[in-house]
Every structure is written in C-alpha cells, then in structure tokens.
Amino acid sequence: MNAPAAHAIFEIEMLSDVPYGEGSIGFGTPHPSSRPLTLDIYKPLNTDRNALKPALILSHGGAYHRGSKTNDDFEQDGHHTTPVTEYCKIFAARGYVCFSLGYRLTQELAAPQAAPIKRNRQQISRGRIDHVRELMGLAPATDEEILNGIEGAFVDVASAFRFVQSHAHQWGIDPQRIAVGGFSAGAFASIYASYALGINAAAIVSLSGGIDLDDADYYVHGGRGQPPLLMFSSEMDLPGIHDRTLNMANKAEAKGIGIRRYFVPQKPHFYDRDSVALLEQNNMDGAIEKTTVGMALIDFLDKTLAPAEVTEQTLIEFAQAWNNHDIDSLMSYMSDGCVFHTFTGSEACGTRQVGKENVRHAFMQAWQNYPDAQWTRAKHFVAGQRGVSEWTFVGTRTSDGARIEVDGCDLFTFEGNKIKVKDSWRKHRI
C-alpha cells in the first residue's frame, strides 16, 4: 500500500497479528487464563538492506478500556485524533519500521504484578476511566481492578519493546534506535515502561501522557539510558493531563534528560497531526517555535534516532584535547544539551552537570585540581550511539601535592556527531 505522508519515500507493507508474548486475564474469576499479545508491523519496502533502520513502537489510547492496535480514531465536538495506525504509515514511509501495539484492557482482568509499579496506590486518577466504563456499559470497578489494568498495560508495552529489540535483526532494525510512545493511555504506558520498568528505548513520544508526581520523583533520575522525550498536551485536555505532562517535563529537564514540550491550542484531548503545536519548553537545539503535531514528531524522531557519526578518531581527538588542557577544543565535541556525570558525588550517577556552561566549568575543575593532569594509555571503542574510552589518569593533586595514578573509563552517549553524555568512572585506591 502507499502511505499518505508528506515527504513519503518508501512504499510499505503490513504484517498483522504478530505475537510478542502472553498476558494473564480473568484474574479473580473461576477460570483465569492467558491470551496471546500481538502487534502489527509496518515495514518500508526497497530500503538499503545494508543500512540498519530506526523503529517506532506506538500504543493506542482509550483510558485503558477501549481502542485497539487497528482502531483508536476518537472524536469530541468535531475534533479527531490521528490514529496510531496512520502515524505508523507516515513513519514507515520515511524509512522507519513501525509497530502498532495491542495490550490488555482493564476489563480483561489482568493479574496483579509481583511488585507494584505505581507508588501511590491510594490516589488514582480514574475520572476519565469511570466515564469510559459508563459509556461502555461496564459496572464500576474497584481501585485494585483499575491498578491491575493500568499496570498490565505498562508491562505489555515493556514486553513488546523487548520482543522488538531482541528480534531487531529480523527486520533490519538498529536495536539502539528504537523509540516508543503513543496517545493518552498508550503514552502513559510508554513512559512507565521506559522509566519505571527500565526498557532502554532511544526516545519517547507522548501525546497527552505523563507521569504521577510520586512516580516522577522515584523513577525519573537522569541515570544512564533514560531517554529523551517529546510531549504534548492541549488547551482543553483532560483534567490532570497538562499537570502531569508539565511535571514530567520539569523533572526531565532538571535531571538533564532531553525534553521538548508542546502546547496544542484550542483543542480538547483529541487532536490530529495537523493541529498547531506551540513550543513551551526546550533543552534540545533545533526546535521550531510554532509547528504542527505531525511535524514536531518528525523533527524530533528524525534527529533523535539519526545514526551517530562519532568515530574512534573523534574520541582520540577528544582525549587529546583533555591532555592539552584545551577547554574550547574540548567543548566543541559536546552537544548543546550535554550532560556530564562525574566520578564522585552524592547521587548514584556521581554529580550531574547539565548544559554546556555547567559542563565547561566542571571540566576545567579537573585541571585546577590537577594542573599536570594527563590521561594516558587510552583506548577507544565506538558502537553505534555509544562509546567507551579507557585510560590511566596521572596527576599531582593541588590540595596536598600527592601524585595520583588510577585507572578509569568514560562511557559516552552520542547525538549525531557530538557527545551528548560523558559518564566518568575511576578506581578508588586505598
């Protein structure tokens, strides 16, 4: 079939009902069981077989009660959503391998998780859920049933991601360039799968999704591998959506996670890809101040999932700038939204420095503490979006004149031809 997307390059084919796992259903009934969990695949045709492709896994909305991987075209007062299936066709036509994900709905009665995922189990945002249950003619549900359904969706999205990543070679996908996301419940589930359940997605796209305050404080810490986000909320969105979107965005920015947040004016919870989107918050360069939802998605994913251009030679030159104590040269290798995790500090990551100015100051501190600092016997490795430099640090400490020699390494995350994250590690000699 031909995709309707602007700038379409490839024709696409669809594979339906590909199983990715099993999910429990009927919990609390006389006959609990399980059912296959499936997804649909949208593949670009006639691409370069030797070039690994990015991938996008999308989950539908529907208050965890309705919608499906083939139909989530919702309407309110003449306003429509763009279905997940259409976004899959748009990005498949641009060379992505796309997946429309089906997950268990709450009324299927998923079993509870072995370990709770949502931290606050007393305050559940169930207003929209109760409204949708009434529309569907379903009896009121207990909080436990709602929590089981919500967390079941989180787990299903995480399972689908792991399935896609483990079978990446089958579809010519780069396993380091897989994004997740969705609309409403699908967006929430994608965020929780990434931050609470730890899937190593390369990016998240959230159309009117977010995270509860208690969960953001607990799960969003900016550690290695926590992915950048693209987030939307609308002027007349559902109660709590804008606040939870803002909460997630503010927490991500504070922790050095790349974030773009857009506001969709004059729209309810349901808005399509042609709706105007206004940039509200950005710590990633190259964003457009006023665009559409669809173009914001394309801009974000094309940039975030672009193949890294950093080579071992780049890391050799970067290391030489360290040994030359050349801060201007050093910073030329760092991206605008760069992050530096030092080898020591009160947080699990050490001390986190966010943004070029803070990173610049922290880099210079190393030479102030060790005026003759050198990183010797260096070896460098690059694998896609990630890299490693091994070295032995040698220097004389200013504070006491002690001569220091210690092994260490840097773990890098790349963005295009720049270093996005430098995460430093050193042996502790006693």
Side-chain angles (χ1 to χ4, degrees):
M1 69 179 118
N2 290 319
H7 312 298
I9 302 171
F10 305 104
E11 291 189 344
I12 62 179
E13 68 174 354
M14 178 185 169
L15 304 175
S16 299
D17 299 323
V18 176
Y20 68 84
E22 287 275 330
S24 68
I25 57 174
F27 176 74
T29 69
H31 303 289
S33 61
S34 64
R35 71 164 177 88
L37 303 171
T38 63
L39 47 77
D40 295 339
I41 307 175
Y42 296 78
K43 295 172 55 181
L45 296 174
N46 303 318
T47 59
D48 181 355
R49 293 188 178 183
N50 295 319
L52 294 178
K53 294 177 282 292
L56 176 60
I57 304 171
L58 292 177
S59 301
H60 63 84
Y64 304 100
H65 279 79
R66 59 179 180 170
S68 70
K69 63 183 174 62
T70 59
N71 182 20
D72 66 335
D73 183 3
F74 300 114
E75 183 271 341
Q76 178 182 339
D77 300 327
H79 300 281
H80 286 261
T81 58
T82 293
V84 163
T85 54
E86 185 172 337
Y87 283 122
C88 285
K89 294 172 186 176
I90 289 169
F91 281 94
R94 297 179 63 84
Y96 292 64
V97 181
C98 296
F99 302 83
S100 180
L101 168 61
Y103 54 84
R104 287 169 294 173
L105 302 177
T106 300
Q107 61 269 32
E108 294 184 86
L109 302 177
Q113 300 305 310
I117 300 170
K118 290 179 69 65
R119 306 291 296 170
N120 188 334
R121 308 186 75 78
Q122 284 71 49
Q123 296 180 348
I124 307 171
S125 298
R126 54 179 295 165
R128 183 66 176 182
I129 290 173
D130 290 337
H131 173 70
V132 170
R133 288 185 72 93
E134 185 177 351
L135 291 176
M136 297 176 68
L138 297 173
T142 65
D143 284 355
E144 181 185 15
E145 183 180 337
I146 297 298
L147 281 168
N148 290 346
I150 291 172
E151 293 185 340
F154 298 169
V155 169
D156 291 351
V157 171
S159 296
F161 177 89
R162 294 184 180 111
F163 170 81
V164 170
Q165 191 172 57
S166 66
H167 291 78
H169 67 282
Q170 182 176 337
W171 302 297
I173 293 170
D174 184 342
Q176 295 188 54
R177 295 192 289 144
I178 305 174
V180 297
F183 165 65
S184 195
F188 275 92
S190 298
I191 291 172
Y192 276 88
S194 298
Y195 288 93
L197 300 181
I199 63 171
N200 59 333
I204 303 172
V205 293
S206 169
L207 297 156
S208 289
I211 190 168
D212 292 347
L213 179 61
D214 292 330
D215 298 327
D217 288 341
Y218 189 77
Y219 292 120
V220 183
H221 48 70
R224 284 173 293 122
Q226 292 207 318
L229 302 101
L230 173 67
M231 307 192 77
F232 300 87
S233 61
S234 64
E235 184 173 358
M236 296 172 283
D237 219 321
L238 299 177
I241 291 288
H242 188 73
D243 289 344
R244 283 183 283 178
T245 300
L246 178 62
N247 174 55
M248 180 72 209
N250 287 343
K251 178 66 70 171
E253 184 176 41
K255 297 299 183 180
I257 299 169
I259 172 72
R260 288 186 192 172
R261 178 167 55 88
Y262 285 90
F263 176 71
V264 183
Q266 301 178 346
K267 293 287 183 178
H269 186 55
F270 305 131
Y271 46 88
D272 61 26
R273 65 185 178 93
D274 294 322
S275 299
V276 170
L278 304 176
L279 185 68
E280 285 198 316
Q281 180 173 333
N282 173 51
N283 63 14
M284 301 176 70
D285 61 311
I288 301 170
E289 291 297 327
K290 181 178 180 181
T291 184
T292 64
V293 170
M295 286 308 302
L297 284 163
I298 289 170
D299 291 341
F300 175 81
L301 288 172
D302 280 358
K303 176 184 176 182
T304 307
L305 300 186
E309 301 171 27
V310 174
T311 65
E312 290 183 22
Q313 182 61 34
T314 308
L315 296 185
I316 290 171
E317 295 169 2
F318 183 70
Q320 190 58 53
W322 273 103
N323 287 333
N324 292 341
H325 295 203
D326 186 344
I327 189 61
D328 291 330
S329 175
L330 205 59
M331 295 309 300
S332 71
Y333 292 92
M334 306 298 293
S335 71
D336 285 346
C338 59
V339 179
F340 173 39
H341 295 166
T342 70
F343 71 91
T344 185
S346 59
E347 299 181 75
C349 65
T351 298
R352 180 185 295 104
Q353 303 292 342
V354 179
K356 268 197 163 180
E357 287 304 312
N358 290 331
V359 170
R360 182 187 183 95
H361 177 77
F363 282 178
M364 293 175 66
Q365 189 66 43
W367 301 319
Q368 294 171 11
N369 294 339
Y370 298 89
D372 58 350
Q374 294 288 291
W375 289 260
T376 65
R377 299 193 290 276
K379 296 180 181 179
H380 310 282
F381 311 90
V382 170
Q385 311 289 102
R386 302 297 303 276
V388 178
S389 289
E390 299 175 344
W391 35 258
T392 298
F393 172 80
V394 179
T396 306
R397 191 161 52 207
T398 303
S399 60
D400 59 4
R403 184 68 172 170
I404 304 297
E405 182 177 0
V406 63
D407 291 339
C409 67
D410 288 311
L411 307 181
F412 297 104
T413 302
F414 307 130
E415 183 179 77
N417 64 352
K418 301 289 185 180
I419 297 169
K420 172 70 175 179
V421 179
K422 179 182 183 292
D423 190 355
S424 291
W425 299 77
R426 278 169 52 170
K427 296 291 187 180
H428 179 63
R429 296 183 65 172
I430 56 174

